[in-house]
Amino acid sequence: MKTSIVLILVLLSSSFAKAADYAYFGFEPSIVTNYVAVKKKMGYVRLTVELMIEDSVNYTIVEHHAPLLRDAIINIIGQQPESQIKSINGRHEIQLLCEEKVKQLLAEETGKPLIKKLLFTQWLDN
């Protein structure tokens, strides 16, 4: 009986030891950029982007590459048509494009993607 209790405690403690250690990096200031609008109207988007970093020790590495990542996000958004910007599904697709690009850039620069998720936490468009 004591052996099974000890075994259960060991298994529980090992599962807690493997709990994820995430950190979040937010781009400051918010990203503001133009997008492709119809009828030669100037459209813009203001958004807040957070990166979910897989291991908190990688925070400073992600922070170091923030200008490169920010530029990539701005370029992706700037190439999107108004229909994508204005639709919920379009925003989700843009978010996935940005996430893939950020992971790719971090893998090229560091050898690992380093982030788990890219999140748009605020989105305002005109």
Side-chain angles (χ1 to χ4, degrees):
M1 182 73 173
K2 286 184 181 181
T3 306
S4 62
I5 293 174
V6 171
L7 181 61
I8 291 171
L9 290 174
V10 168
L11 290 173
L12 285 173
S13 66
S14 67
S15 66
F16 287 124
K18 293 180 183 179
D21 178 27
Y22 294 109
Y24 289 87
F25 175 81
F27 290 92
E28 292 293 331
S30 297
I31 293 175
V32 179
T33 188
N34 295 328
Y35 64 86
V36 180
V38 293
K39 299 180 184 177
K40 297 186 181 185
K41 182 184 107 185
M42 183 65 74
Y44 71 90
V45 177
R46 179 180 181 168
L47 66 149
T48 305
V49 179
E50 302 278 333
L51 301 177
M52 183 179 181
I53 303 168
E54 290 194 50
D55 191 343
S56 62
V57 298
N58 293 323
Y59 183 89
T60 55
I61 297 168
V62 172
E63 184 178 41
H64 174 75
H65 294 290
L68 174 67
L69 305 177
R70 181 185 192 93
D71 181 61
I73 293 167
I74 290 169
N75 283 332
I76 289 170
I77 293 169
Q79 296 172 1
Q80 303 305 311
E82 185 173 17
S83 59
Q84 286 285 93
I85 297 288
K86 299 278 185 180
S87 83
I88 301 280
N89 290 335
R91 292 178 198 171
H92 181 69
E93 290 173 15
I94 294 168
Q95 181 178 345
L96 292 175
L97 285 172
C98 290
E99 182 178 316
E100 289 170 11
K101 184 64 175 180
V102 165
K103 285 181 178 180
Q104 175 200 348
L105 289 171
L106 285 171
E108 289 172 6
E109 295 292 320
T110 68
K112 297 179 186 175
L114 300 181
I115 68 160
K116 178 83 173 164
K117 193 82 177 144
L118 179 143
L119 306 164
F120 290 163
T121 55
Q122 183 182 37
W123 181 284
L124 301 169
D125 59 72
N126 175 16

